[in-house]
C-alpha cells in the first residue's frame, strides 16, 4: 500500500516530531510578556474569542522584568493528540488562580480540570470562570490559551526524574510519612494538538496580574451608574410593577441606579424570544423612558437559547448546533453571520429603546442542561470548545454593540474565561454561601474577572445586614429578588443599618471610581486578595541559594489561605462579618492601619481582633491613606454635575491619591476626555491639583479636608 501525504501535512507532522524533543522557544511579545507555542494550536482560542488589543503603553510603565523561570526547567511533550506541559515549582512557592474558586485560595497541592460549569460546591475546576491562569507567590503568571478542558496538577505529582525528590519515609512507625509527597512542578494536560502559552513577568504577583489584565486591554471601567445600587425584580413583574418598585425605593430614600428586569419581559423564556411580552410590557419604549425620568436604567435578563416562537429562530437555525437547550437553538457565535443576526435583533428590540445592558444567564452548565460534548456546530468548533468560550463570546459581542453607541454598559454573566478583563460583566451564580462568596471575591482578583456576592434571602435580620454590607463592598451592589420580591427594608429592625451601608457606598464613589480607573489603566484589580499586597504576601527569602521562610509554617499557611478579607483599592481593607460572629481576626500588612470610621490606630503588621457591631462592616485605612468622598445620595452623579468633595486623611504619614473623573457614561475617556488630579496631604494640610481646562471634572475646587485622629474628626 502506498501512503501519500500532502506537503502541508508532512510539514505539520515534522513540526510535531520536532516539538517532542525541543524546549519551548519564548518570544517577548509585549514588555514582560513572553509567548511560546507547543505543537499546532487550534483556530479557536480563549484570547482569540476575547479579541483584545494589549495596552502596550501601560505595559511599558510597569517595572522591568526578566524571564522569571529557567527555560530548561519548562518541558513540553506532544503525544496522543495532547499537549503535556511542566513548569517548575520551588519549595515554598504558592499558587493562586486556576479559575473562580469558592473554598480555597492557595491552589498548590490540588488537582483541577478547568471545565465551564454551574458551580457545584467543590473547587475541582468546574466553575463559572475556569481560567487556565495561575499566579505564583514568586511574582509571575502562566496562562495556557486553549479552549479545552485542561487538567492541572498543581504540585501534586512526582516524576521519577525529578531534581528534587521528596524525602522517603517508612509509614511503619514513621509519623512523618505523607500521603502527598513534596512535588516540584505544575503539570498540565491539554487535550489538543497544540496550544499557545504565555508567561507574565513580575517582579511581584501584583505586577504579573497587572500584565495579564493589560495584555487583555486593561480592566473595565463601568459607567458611574453601574457602581450604584441595583434591584432585580420578581420574574413576572410587569412594567407597572417595576415602576411602582422604583417609586418604593424613592419613598424609602434608598439608592437605586439600575433595575433588573427578569425573564417575564420575554414573550417566551427558557428558551427565549428576546421580544417583549405585549401584556406585561405593552409599551417598552415608554416604560424605559419613564424609568429614565426617575434616574433608573433597565437591565434585561436573557439566556442565549432561541425559542421557535422568536423572529430570530428561522434565520439563526442554519447557524446553530445540532442540539438544543430547553428546545432552543444554540447559535454558533464563532460565525460572524450568527453574531450579526443577534446584533440586528437586539439593537431593534432593546438597545435602540435605551436598554442599558444585560444579565446573561444559563451559559455555564449543568452537563444535563447544556448541549452535550457530542454536539457539532456549523463552524467546526467542537462542543467542548464551545462550552469553554460561549459566555466569553456573548460578552465580546454585546460589549461591541454598546461601544458602537458610545455607551458604557454594566451587567451580569454566568460564564467567563481568559481574556475577559476588559468586558463589562460581573459574575454571579445560584450558590449561596456567604463565606464562600467572599472567597470567590478574593480569588477573582487573580484571574481578571469581577464577582458579586449578591443578596437574595436571609434567615435572620443579622444575616441580612451582613450580606448587604458585603455586597456594598464588591464590584456590583445587587439585591436579586427574582424569586420572592425581597426589598432592602424587608427586615425593618435593620433597615437603617442597610440604608447606611448603601449610602456609604454612594459616598465612596470618587474612591471606587478612581479604583476602577486603576483597573482600566494600570491593570490593578479593584478588589484584591491580600496575597497581592506589598507588605503582606508570604514571600520566601533567598539566602545562600536556599529558600528561608520569613514566616513560620502555620503563619505562612494562614496567610496563603486568607479568604475572608480583601483590599478595596490601594488604601482600604474590608473584613466582613458573617451571621453568628461575635468577633473576628483581621490580618494587617506592614505599616500602621486605622479604623475607617473613627481614625483610631487599629494595629500594625500583625493580627488584630475586632468585635462585632451590627451597623458596621470593619474597614481599615493605611497610614497616609486618602479617601475621597461625596455627600450621601441616592443615585450616581450625572454628566456635568458638580459635587462637593471631602477627603478623609488617615494617620500621620504623608499621602497622595490620584482622583480620576470623566463623563461617567461614554467611551470618550479613551480619547483623552478625562481628568486625573493628585490629592496630597502632609503635616495637617491638604492640596488638590487643578484639573486641566476642558476636561470633565465633577468636583468643586474647594475641598473639605478631614484629618481622622483617635479623638475623631
Amino acid at each position: 500500500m502506498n501512503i501519500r501525504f500532502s506537503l502541508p501535512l508532512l510539514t505539520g507532522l515534522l513540526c510535531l516530531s520536532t516539538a517532542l524533543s525541543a524546549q519551548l522557544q519564548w518570544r517577548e511579545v509585549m514588555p514582560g510578556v513572553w509567548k511560546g507555542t507547543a505543537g499546532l494550536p487550534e483556530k479557536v482560542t480563549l484570547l482569540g474569542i476575547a479579541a483584545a488589543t494589549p495596552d502596550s503603553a501601560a505595559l511599558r510603565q510597569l517595572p522591568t522584568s526578566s524571564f522569571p523561570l529557567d527555560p530548561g526547567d519548562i518541558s513540553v511533550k506532544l503525544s496522543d493528540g495532547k499537549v503535556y506541559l511542566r513548569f517548575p515549582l520551588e519549595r515554598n512557592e504558592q499558587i493562586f488562580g486556576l479559575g473562580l474558586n469558592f473554598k480555597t485560595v492557595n491552589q498548590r497541592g490540588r488537582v483541577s480540570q478547568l471545565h465551564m460549569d454551574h458551580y457545584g460546591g467543590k473547587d475541582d475546576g468546574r466553575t463559572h470562570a475556569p481560567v487556565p491562569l495561575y499566579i505564583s507567590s514568586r511574582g509571575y503568571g502562566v496562562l495556557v490559551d486553549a479552549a479545552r478542558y485542561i487538567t492541572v496538577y498543581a504540585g501534586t505529582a512526582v516524576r521519577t526524574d525529578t531534581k528534587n525528590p521528596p524525602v522517603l519515609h517508612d509509614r511503619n512507625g514513621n509519623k512523618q510519612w505523607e500521603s502527598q509527597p513534596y512535588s516540584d512542578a505544575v503539570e498540565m494536560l491539554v487535550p489538543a494538538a497544540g496550544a499557545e502559552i504565555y508567561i507574565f513577568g513580575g517582579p511581584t504577583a501584583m505586577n504579573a496580574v497587572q500584565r495579564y489584565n493589560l495584555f487583555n486591554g486593561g480592566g473595565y471601567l463601568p459607567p458611574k451608574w453601574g457602581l450604584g445600587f441595583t434591584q432585580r425584580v420578581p420574574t413576572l413583574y410587569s412594567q407597572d410593577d417595576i415602576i411602582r418598585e422604583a417609586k418604593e425605593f424613592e419613598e424609602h430614600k434608598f439608592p437605586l441606579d439600575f433595575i433588573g428586569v427578569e425573564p417575564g419581559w420575554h414573550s417566551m423564556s427558557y428558551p427565549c424570544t428576546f421580544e417583549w411580552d405585549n401584556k406585561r410590557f405593552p409599551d417598552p419604549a415608554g416604560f424605559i423612558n419613564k424609568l429614565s425620568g426617575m434616574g433608573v436604567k433597565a437591565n434585561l435578563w436573557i439566556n442565549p437559547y432561541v425559542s421557535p416562537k422568536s423572529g430570530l429562530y428561522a434565520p439563526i437555525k442554519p447557524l446553530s448546533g445540532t442540539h438544543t437547550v430547553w428546545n432552543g437553538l444554540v447559535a454558533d457565535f464563532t460565525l460572524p453571520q450568527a453574531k450579526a443576526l443577534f446584533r440586528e435583533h437586539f439593537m431593534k428590540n432593546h438597545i435602540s429603546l435605551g436598554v442599558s445592558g444585560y444579565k446573561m444567564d444559563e451559559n455555564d452548565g449543568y452537563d444535563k442542561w447544556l448541549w452535550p460534548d457530542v454536539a457539532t456546530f456549523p463552524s467546526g468548533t467542537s462542543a467542548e470548545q464551545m462550552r469553554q468560550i460561549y459566555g466569553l463570546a456573548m460578552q465580546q459581542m454585546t460589549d461591541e454593540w454598546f461601544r458602537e453607541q458610545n455607551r458604557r454598559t454594566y451587567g451580569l454573566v454566568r460564564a467567563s474565561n481568559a481574556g475577559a478583563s476588559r468586558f463589562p460583566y460581573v459574575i454571579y451564580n445560584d450558590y449561596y454561601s456567604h463565606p464562600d462568596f467572599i472567597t470567590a471575591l478574593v480569588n477573582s482578583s487573580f484571574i481578571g474577572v469581577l464577582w458579586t456576592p449578591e443578596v437574595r434571602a436571609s434567615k435572620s435580620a443579622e444575616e441580612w445586614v451582613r450580606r448587604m454590607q458585603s455586597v456594598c463592598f464588591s464590584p456590583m451592589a445587587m439585591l436579586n429578588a427574582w424569586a420572592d420580591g425581597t426589598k432592602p427594608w424587608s427586615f425593618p429592625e435593620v433597615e437603617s443599618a442597610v440604608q447606611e451601608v448603601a449610602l456609604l457606598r454612594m459616598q465612596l464613589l470618587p474612591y471606587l471610581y478612581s479604583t476602577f480607573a486603576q483597573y482600566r489603566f494600570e491593570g490593578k484589580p479593584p478588589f484584591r486578595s491580600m496575597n497581592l499586597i506589598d507588605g503582606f504576601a508570604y514571600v520566601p527569602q533567598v539566602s545562600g541559594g536556599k529558600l528561608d521562610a520569613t514566616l513560620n509554617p502555620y503563619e505562612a499557611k494562614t496567610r496563603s489561605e486568607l479568604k475572608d478579607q480583601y483590599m478595596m483599592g490601594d488604601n482600604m481593607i474590608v473584613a466582613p462579618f458573617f451571621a453568628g460572629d461575635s468577633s473576628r481576626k483581621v490580618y494587617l500588612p506592614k505599616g500602621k492601619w486605622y479604623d475607617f470610621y473613627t481614625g483610631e490606630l487599629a494595629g500594625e503588621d500583625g493580627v488584630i481582633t475586632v468585635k462585632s457591631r451590627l451597623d458596621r462592616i470593619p474597614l481599615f485605612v493605611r497610614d497616609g491613606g486618602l479617601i475621597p468622598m461625596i455627600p450621601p445620595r441616592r443615585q450616581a452623579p450625572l454628566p456635568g454635575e458638580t459635587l462637593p468633595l471631602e477627603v478623609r486623611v488617615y494617620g500621620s504619614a504623608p499621602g497622595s491619591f490620584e482622583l480620576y473623573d470623566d463623563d461617567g457614561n461614554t467611551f470618550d475617556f479613551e480619547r483623552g476626555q478625562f481628568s486625573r488630579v493628585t490629592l496630597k496631604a502632609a503635616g495637617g494640610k491638604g492640596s488638590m491639583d487643578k484639573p486641566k481646562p476642558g476636561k470633565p471634572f465633577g468636583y468643586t475646587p474647594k475641598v473639605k479636608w478631614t484629618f481622622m485622629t483617635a479623638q475623631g474628626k
Side-chain angles (χ1 to χ4, degrees), residues 246-494:
K247 288 180 178 177
E248 280 190 67
F249 272 73
E250 284 185 0
E251 292 165 3
H252 282 264
K253 298 180 173 59
F254 201 91
L256 182 66
D257 269 291
F258 64 115
I259 204 157
V261 187
E262 289 291 304
W265 74 270
H266 294 262
S267 56
M268 179 182 182
S269 66
Y270 286 86
C272 296
T273 58
F274 315 108
E275 297 158 4
W276 297 87
D277 180 88
N278 58 18
K279 293 181 179 178
R280 286 185 290 271
F281 293 86
D283 181 15
F287 158 67
I288 292 169
N289 286 336
K290 193 165 186 178
L291 271 184
S292 181
M294 302 170 71
V296 179
K297 309 285 186 182
N299 177 283
L300 300 184
W301 176 98
I302 63 169
N303 70 42
Y305 313 115
V306 184
S307 167
K309 295 189 178 294
S310 171
L312 186 56
Y313 186 87
I316 206 69
K317 189 173 183 179
L319 306 172
S320 299
T322 55
H323 291 65
T324 63
V325 176
W326 301 305
N327 293 316
L329 296 175
V330 182
D332 187 339
F333 289 141
T334 64
L335 295 174
Q337 308 97 298
K339 293 168 67 173
L341 285 171
F342 262 72
R343 178 194 176 280
E344 181 182 5
H345 197 76
F346 278 51
M347 291 294 295
K348 174 185 175 182
N349 289 285
H350 322 144
I351 297 175
S352 65
L353 304 185
V355 165
S356 71
Y358 298 100
K359 172 186 176 182
M360 303 193 297
D361 203 4
E362 313 290 9
N363 46 16
D364 51 347
Y366 294 107
D367 290 348
K368 61 187 178 184
W369 287 356
L370 289 197
W371 59 92
D373 284 350
V374 297
T376 59
F377 289 84
S379 64
T381 302
S382 72
E384 175 183 341
Q385 291 172 305
M386 198 67 78
R387 179 79 172 260
Q388 296 294 77
I389 61 96
Y390 213 67
L392 198 63
M394 291 179 68
Q395 292 180 73
Q396 189 278 328
M397 68 180 186
T398 51
D399 172 63
E400 191 175 89
W401 301 340
F402 281 95
R403 284 180 175 272
E404 289 173 12
Q405 308 298 309
N406 195 23
R407 290 166 51 195
R408 276 184 264 172
T409 181
Y410 202 45
L412 294 153
V413 71
R414 278 262 290 270
S416 195
N417 217 316
S421 310
R422 70 184 184 92
F423 291 140
Y425 288 96
V426 181
I427 304 174
Y428 70 102
N429 75 359
D430 286 343
Y431 186 59
Y432 203 54
S433 165
H434 187 189
D436 290 358
F437 272 15
I438 302 306
T439 304
L441 184 55
V442 168
N443 280 320
S444 67
S445 63
F446 296 112
I447 58 173
V449 300
L450 301 173
W451 160 262
T452 175
E454 65 173 78
V455 183
R456 293 196 293 272
S458 293
K459 296 177 181 177
S460 67
E462 181 195 8
E463 183 189 351
W464 185 251
V465 74
R466 293 308 186 204
R467 285 184 178 274
M468 290 293 291
Q469 287 168 345
S470 294
V471 82
C472 285
F473 282 85
S474 83
M476 184 180 288
M478 177 175 67
L479 199 166
N480 190 358
W482 71 272
D484 56 11
T486 304
K487 309 291 192 296
W489 47 88
S490 287
F491 290 86
E493 60 269 46
V494 293

Side-chain angles (χ1 to χ4, degrees), residues 156-199:
T156 62
V158 182
R159 291 180 58 89
T160 56
D161 59 356
T162 178
K163 298 177 182 178
N164 303 290
V167 176
L168 179 65
H169 295 294
D170 182 358
R171 190 175 184 183
N172 295 328
N174 189 335
K175 293 182 180 180
Q176 292 184 321
W177 181 88
E178 296 175 303
S179 60
Q180 188 173 328
Y182 164 71
S183 167
D184 65 351
V186 173
E187 296 187 86
M188 297 185 180
L189 179 61
V190 186
E196 293 178 336
I197 301 101
Y198 293 88
I199 290 183

Side-chain angles (χ1 to χ4, degrees), residues 576-635:
F577 272 108
F578 307 115
D581 290 347
S582 59
S583 65
R584 63 154 296 159
K585 292 181 178 179
V586 180
Y587 287 75
L588 302 175
K590 289 181 180 178
K592 295 178 180 179
W593 292 82
Y594 296 84
D595 183 281
F596 168 80
Y597 303 96
T598 66
E600 294 180 357
L601 178 66
E604 180 178 3
D605 191 19
V607 184
I608 62 172
T609 299
V610 183
K611 291 184 177 181
S612 168
R613 273 189 60 167
L614 191 61
D615 61 338
R616 287 184 180 176
I617 179 172
L619 305 171
F620 303 95
V621 183
R622 69 170 69 249
D623 192 13
L626 275 58
I627 307 293
M629 302 172 67
I630 55 176
R633 56 187 292 130
R634 286 191 61 245
Q635 293 174 326

Side-chain angles (χ1 to χ4, degrees), residues 67-103:
F67 193 78
L69 298 169
D70 183 344
D73 288 339
I74 303 171
S75 67
V76 58
K77 178 182 177 182
L78 304 174
S79 178
D80 192 28
K82 302 181 182 70
V83 179
Y84 296 71
L85 296 166
R86 184 177 185 274
F87 300 92
L89 272 181
E90 295 189 350
R91 185 166 294 275
N92 291 308
E93 193 171 353
Q94 297 163 348
I95 295 298
F96 306 105
L98 295 174
L100 184 64
N101 295 301
F102 286 72
K103 292 182 177 294

